[in-house]
Amino acid sequence: MTSTETNTAHDLWQQHIAQWRASGLSQASYCREQALPAYQFSYWKRKFLADHEPVDLEPKAGFARVQVAAPVAMPSSSGLSLCFRDGTQLTGIAQNNMALIKQLIEVLR
């Protein structure tokens, strides 16, 4: 490419990048609408960003400090408990598990 062609291409792609930003479309949608090769659009967009924005050479990977909140204590709902002579205990007896408790008592007798 000659210097003139490069400047023309530069201006053309700079114009497309500006129009894309103003359009609110995704990059892919804009390229489809304008019949532009998406790989070339990406190339020029990166090129313009590199020319106009400082490059941060600091790595972005690393550790972040995370603070874990204290566990939330669940309200104590002990329900009913059965204590047998041999030390066996059934706890958490409630209306919704009564059928299971009856079966356990039968087995334990």
Side-chain angles (χ1 to χ4, degrees):
M1 230 184 235
T2 67
S3 177
T4 307
E5 290 173 332
T6 302
N7 287 340
T8 304
H10 182 275
D11 294 342
L12 174 73
W13 284 103
Q14 193 169 28
Q15 195 174 27
H16 273 299
I17 300 297
Q19 289 173 355
W20 163 69
R21 284 186 172 157
S23 75
L25 294 171
S26 70
Q27 185 174 317
S29 296
Y30 181 83
C31 288
R32 275 192 300 274
E33 273 191 12
Q34 300 295 319
L36 299 172
Y39 71 93
Q40 284 184 345
F41 186 94
S42 294
Y43 166 82
W44 283 98
K45 185 178 87 172
R46 279 192 310 274
K47 186 170 177 56
F48 293 134
L49 289 175
D51 289 346
H52 299 296
E53 294 181 11
V55 176
D56 186 7
L57 298 178
E58 289 292 317
K60 298 294 181 197
F63 292 96
R65 183 176 301 276
V66 177
Q67 186 173 4
V68 179
V72 177
M74 297 301 286
S76 176
S77 175
S78 58
L80 295 175
S81 298
L82 289 176
C83 299
F84 295 93
R85 289 186 201 136
D86 65 357
T88 305
Q89 294 183 354
L90 290 175
T91 59
I93 300 171
Q95 186 66 34
N96 63 344
N97 63 4
M98 196 57 69
L100 177 62
I101 297 300
K102 287 178 183 176
Q103 291 174 350
L104 287 172
I105 291 173
E106 291 299 320
V107 171
L108 293 172
R109 284 189 181 178

